[in-house]
Amino acid sequence: MARPFPPEKGTGIAARTGDCHSCCIGTTGAQERKDQAMPLYLSKFSYTPETWARLTSNPEDRRKAAQAYIESVGGKLHGFWYAFGSHDGYNLWEAPDNVSMAAVALAISGGGALSSFDTTVLLTVEETLEALRKAEQIKYRPPGT
């Protein structure tokens, strides 16, 4: 389900799922998220060979750890997948703001178990349409012209 832009009262993910973290209620500024959907983020990661060796000898469901990391900043883990290809896995996260997601990414990246960890802020179709409208107002000039 697409998130409206701007979010309408009672349309956030918490409102749709009934799963709400009270950490954002009563705050101000960028964290004022009551009844609004939080931004979504897609992370792709790769483990080091040493991490794969440890997981092979001692299999562990890493979703639980990922969930704890994002919940510590008031967010939610929406998905955790392993994959074939250029990256070992993908996560879909919801976080109160970019700073909170950056904190999670920094903590995970600094742990040494990953060889790569890239996070992308996801935009809804509505957010992209709004950006397109704003882009039309910008008078871009190519370099050297």
Side-chain angles (χ1 to χ4, degrees), residues 73-122:
V73 297
K76 183 175 180 180
L77 178 67
H78 285 278
F80 187 112
W81 300 272
Y82 288 107
F84 297 120
S86 58
H87 295 90
D88 295 329
Y90 296 84
N91 303 113
L92 181 60
W93 317 85
E94 179 180 19
D97 50 54
N98 289 341
V99 172
S100 297
M101 187 64 231
V104 171
L106 289 167
I108 293 170
S109 297
L114 303 178
S115 61
S116 69
F117 188 81
D118 302 313
T119 301
T120 301
V121 179
L122 300 177

Side-chain angles (χ1 to χ4, degrees), residues 9-93:
K9 185 172 180 163
T11 61
I13 289 177
R16 291 192 303 268
T17 64
D19 183 19
C20 181
H21 298 279
S22 61
C23 64
C24 300
I25 297 172
T27 61
T28 59
Q31 292 185 353
E32 195 168 90
R33 299 275 180 197
K34 183 178 180 182
D35 293 328
Q36 293 183 12
M38 290 189 276
L40 293 173
Y41 303 86
L42 178 67
S43 295
K44 52 189 177 179
F45 64 90
S46 293
Y47 289 132
T48 64
E50 295 80 16
T51 300
W52 276 122
R54 286 193 306 270
L55 287 170
T56 300
S57 64
N58 187 22
E60 178 185 353
D61 184 347
R62 294 299 296 169
R63 289 178 293 189
K64 294 174 185 175
Q67 182 177 356
Y69 304 145
I70 195 66
E71 286 180 356
S72 73
V73 297
K76 183 175 180 180
L77 178 67
H78 285 278
F80 187 112
W81 300 272
Y82 288 107
F84 297 120
S86 58
H87 295 90
D88 295 329
Y90 296 84
N91 303 113
L92 181 60
W93 317 85

